[in-house]
Amino acid sequence: MIDDDLAAALRQFAARIAALDPPGSPTVVEVTVGGTPVALTGSAARALVEAALAYHDPRDRGACDHCGSRRLDDNFLCADCRQPSGVFGQLIRERAARYEGPPPALDA
């Protein structure tokens, strides 16, 4: 299923770019996805490279301040060292440093 979707998306991408090429522009790259070849002209290949380089994965939240891992979750907690990262992590550490424990129990 993913192979079919990828091949279809690449074919559509290549066709959109190739429509702007001069007639008879040669294929310079052929990508095979799940046995399906997709021909790319030079301009389609360049456009694919630019698109890949410009892509930003929405899951990428930067590197952990502690271990350098790139696996920060939605709360900026590192999946590898489990430390909070960034400004959020700094605030948590500052609060934790000032924490004196629960207040003493009042005897009634």
Side-chain angles (χ1 to χ4, degrees):
M1 179 69 166
I2 292 175
D3 287 351
D4 295 338
D5 292 344
L6 179 57
L10 278 174
R11 274 195 305 280
Q12 291 170 6
F13 178 83
R16 281 196 322 267
I17 304 301
L20 305 172
D21 287 339
S25 293
T27 295
V28 297
V29 176
E30 187 174 277
V31 179
T32 302
V33 180
T36 303
V38 179
L40 302 175
T41 62
S43 58
R46 278 190 298 283
L48 183 59
V49 167
E50 288 178 25
L53 292 174
Y55 177 75
H56 174 78
D57 192 317
R59 300 172 299 165
D60 185 357
R61 295 172 189 88
C64 174
D65 294 338
H66 301 280
C67 70
S69 167
R70 301 206 50 92
R71 297 179 349 119
L72 298 176
D73 68 11
D74 289 339
N75 296 312
F76 295 96
L77 291 174
C78 180
D80 294 323
C81 71
R82 301 306 304 158
Q83 293 293 311
S85 191
V87 174
F88 170 73
Q90 181 180 347
L91 291 172
I92 295 293
R93 283 187 293 282
E94 288 173 4
R95 284 265 169 126
R98 290 193 309 261
Y99 183 68
E100 296 176 2
L106 299 176
D107 293 327

